[in-house]
Amino acid sequence: MKHVITTLIFLAINSVAFSQTDSLTKRLPAKIHHAEPIYMDLIRDLGARKGEKELNLGWGLENKSGYIANTGFFEYEFSPVNRLGLEVEVPFTFYKPAFEHKEGDEMPRNRMEGIKLASQYTFLVAPKYGMSMAIGYIHEFKAHSFYSLSHGSAPLKGHSMSPFFVVAKRWGKHVHSMIYTGPEWEFTAGESKPERYYQVNASMHYEFGGTGNLLGVEVNQEYLGMKAETVVRPQIKLALTPNLALGIVTGIPLNLKDHGVSILARVIYELPRRKR
């Protein structure tokens, strides 16, 4: 009789434990791990879960005709609800003359580029096929240079609107692919018609044994009318800790005469989620 009672108590405890585990599992929506490009990164992971937060800091160098652009940015990403990601980004650029810079050559002025506000919603997560899809929108408020602001210019120079579509596919345990595409309208104060661009960004990555260390390449194409500008970006991502990673990417322009090779480093820190 004692053995029967002990067995029943054991089964009851296990039943409660499994039901609690099952209910916790049901609360979390499906999510597929996809390798994210380092240069054209997403607003948040595809299939983002409520409470996820991430900080990104970046710095890069780009050699252009007659000058060197030092670019940087600060990003804050978070997910207020499941599958929805939001982002605030502040990019800035500082310029200095290149060795071949000549007297009289024009050079852009230092500036905080503006403020980017973005959202992204993952509407499809299909674990059976290793595929996720999302739509999103970026609105950037563009600012005048520090020089112009100090001489009485209004803070805003213009703004841009950019809806986008993302589809990502995981091929087994190691290979990841992604396509990010969409139009962009750029409005400048004083001009009646906006500039319209279209971008197609494709990436392929190899992940080493589920460690988070990635080796891959991005191909960024921007179309203005029938003219396409293409930059190939080999890249590597190193997982330093479970929450901290370093991404390094090099840009090699294929058909941009005034642009040289560029380099960008991105520090990625995922904030721990609150325990409930």
Side-chain angles (χ1 to χ4, degrees):
M1 188 66 180
K2 289 182 179 179
H3 293 296
V4 173
I5 294 173
T6 303
T7 302
L8 290 173
I9 293 172
F10 177 78
L11 291 174
I13 292 172
N14 277 274
S15 176
V16 171
F18 279 120
S19 65
Q20 288 178 344
T21 304
D22 187 56
S23 63
L24 287 173
T25 303
K26 287 180 179 177
R27 289 180 198 168
L28 295 175
K31 180 178 179 180
I32 304 168
H33 168 61
H34 295 286
E36 188 175 343
I38 296 171
Y39 183 80
M40 188 63 70
D41 74 318
L42 302 180
I43 308 308
R44 194 60 215 116
D45 292 346
L46 294 175
R49 290 170 177 165
K50 181 179 178 180
E52 292 181 348
K53 300 175 183 178
E54 185 177 288
L55 294 174
N56 280 221
L57 292 173
W59 188 269
L61 292 172
E62 185 174 1
N63 188 11
K64 297 189 177 182
S65 180
Y67 62 90
I68 296 173
N70 294 267
T71 59
F73 59 84
F74 170 80
E75 291 179 6
Y76 175 60
E77 307 172 1
F78 63 100
S79 296
V81 296
N82 291 327
R83 296 196 176 185
L84 176 66
L86 302 177
E87 179 186 279
V88 179
E89 178 183 346
V90 180
F92 52 87
T93 310
F94 296 92
Y95 302 92
K96 66 177 183 179
F99 291 113
E100 66 273 16
H101 184 78
K102 300 177 183 178
E103 286 283 337
D105 284 352
E106 288 189 10
M107 186 173 66
R109 294 190 171 100
N110 301 334
R111 69 187 65 222
M112 183 182 82
E113 295 291 345
I115 298 177
K116 288 184 180 180
L117 304 177
S119 61
Q120 173 187 290
Y121 181 74
T122 306
F123 65 88
L124 174 68
V125 178
K128 181 179 179 181
Y129 302 101
M131 184 178 291
S132 301
M133 295 184 184
I135 55 173
Y137 176 75
I138 301 173
H139 199 109
E140 181 176 6
F141 297 94
K142 298 181 180 292
H144 280 285
S145 67
F146 298 130
Y147 175 87
S148 297
L149 291 174
S150 66
H151 285 72
S153 293
L156 291 181
K157 180 181 180 181
H159 65 101
S160 66
M161 305 163 58
S162 180
F164 62 86
F165 169 73
V166 180
V167 57
K169 168 73 175 173
R170 181 165 181 161
W171 308 85
K173 295 183 179 180
H174 303 287
V175 181
H176 304 254
S177 63
M178 184 179 295
I179 295 176
Y180 175 113
T181 185
E184 179 180 357
W185 291 271
E186 187 173 302
F187 299 84
T188 303
E191 297 184 5
S192 57
K193 293 184 178 180
E195 292 280 0
R196 182 183 176 182
Y197 304 90
Y198 194 88
Q199 56 185 336
V200 179
N201 305 293
S203 63
M204 182 76 72
H205 290 84
Y206 182 88
E207 183 174 8
F208 294 91
T211 61
N213 297 316
L214 301 171
L215 183 64
V217 63
E218 273 180 77
V219 179
N220 305 129
Q221 289 188 308
E222 187 174 79
Y223 293 83
L224 177 58
M226 297 302 294
K227 181 183 177 182
E229 296 180 345
T230 305
V231 181
V232 178
R233 302 185 191 273
Q235 54 197 254
I236 186 171
K237 182 180 178 183
L238 302 174
L240 306 178
T241 70
N243 290 353
L244 183 66
L246 173 65
I248 300 174
V249 54
T250 300
I252 305 170
L254 299 186
N255 57 350
L256 283 76
K257 295 180 180 179
D258 297 331
H259 293 244
V261 174
S262 63
I263 187 169
L264 171 72
R266 179 189 291 268
V267 178
I268 305 157
Y269 177 65
E270 188 161 354
L271 282 74
R273 296 178 65 188
R274 290 183 180 179
K275 295 182 180 180
R276 296 181 180 180

